[in-house]
Amino acid sequence: MFFPRRQVLRTLSFAFGSSLLWSRKQLGMAAQTDVQPKTSPLPAETAAGDGIAGGAEMEKVLGIGGLFFRAKDPKALGLWYQQHLGISLTPSSEGGSVWEQEAGPTVFAPFPETTKYFGDAQKVWMVNFRVRDLDKMAAQLQAAGIEVKIYPPDPTGRFARLHDPEGNPIELWQPAKPAAPR
């Protein structure tokens, strides 16, 4: 069974396995096919279009600074994420600490409006959390009465799906360990 997640993560694997400086066309081609596009020096007009004109690299964001979404009961939902996934809530007083995520790959991928990947067609977002040990995380959630579906491993790692109390889809991802050098 083919999942869009695999397509996105395959694209990342291609990107990190070769030149990290791809044009939008090359990246799009990698996302649509199983074949890694051939990389070559970018023409001047492409470099300018990608914000790399004159040898100066475009300023980019550093990462995701927050995830904000509507909830029927924000307080209860925030506590659920804190209790079951260990995500600290926004501090309510000075000196409180925010959730700090570990450095690692982050996939940013808009999906077509008609995707069935998120489940309920009314849900417009899904969050994917990286985990160290998928089996331990799934067991912890199941012990709390939360249904977790674990998928067969694929080359990018292992995945599981669950839903928060408001029905929002959550994906857990234990990335594949890099192959040992030969």
Side-chain angles (χ1 to χ4, degrees):
M1 183 173 198
F2 181 75
F3 291 98
R5 154 188 84 229
R6 290 181 183 153
Q7 196 173 18
V8 171
L9 293 171
R10 184 181 318 112
T11 301
L12 277 178
S13 297
F14 288 156
F16 290 109
S18 66
S19 171
L20 293 176
L21 188 58
W22 279 4
S23 70
R24 289 184 184 110
K25 182 178 178 183
Q26 289 171 313
L27 194 56
M29 186 170 59
Q32 294 172 12
T33 68
D34 288 337
V35 180
Q36 180 179 359
K38 295 189 183 341
T39 57
S40 59
L42 296 174
E45 62 275 5
T46 303
D50 286 340
I52 314 168
E57 198 169 319
M58 166 181 127
E59 187 65 24
K60 299 174 188 167
V61 299
L62 301 175
I64 296 173
L67 174 62
F68 309 99
F69 56 98
R70 291 182 172 101
K72 293 174 187 144
D73 186 345
K75 186 174 182 177
L77 193 59
L79 291 172
W80 184 90
Y81 276 88
Q82 187 174 32
Q83 179 182 1
H84 297 291
L85 299 177
I87 298 173
S88 301
L89 300 174
T90 304
S92 57
S93 62
E94 191 174 326
S97 60
V98 297
W99 175 51
E100 299 251 347
Q101 63 178 320
E102 291 184 14
T106 301
V107 177
F108 184 86
F111 280 71
E113 272 186 302
T114 57
T115 188
K116 294 181 182 4
Y117 190 61
F118 301 167
D120 181 351
Q122 301 302 306
K123 301 301 179 187
V124 296
W125 65 273
M126 180 180 70
V127 65
N128 171 299
F129 292 113
R130 274 180 277 112
V131 298
R132 189 176 340 278
D133 187 323
L134 185 67
D135 293 324
K136 283 184 181 178
M137 177 62 82
Q140 172 182 300
L141 293 165
Q142 289 166 337
I146 299 166
E147 185 179 333
V148 179
K149 180 175 181 181
I150 299 176
Y151 293 94
D154 70 29
T156 62
R158 299 183 57 220
F159 294 87
R161 178 72 61 96
L162 63 137
H163 292 83
D164 71 19
E166 294 196 8
N168 298 307
I170 299 170
E171 191 169 67
L172 303 176
W173 173 37
Q174 179 182 325
K177 290 188 172 43
R182 294 178 189 200

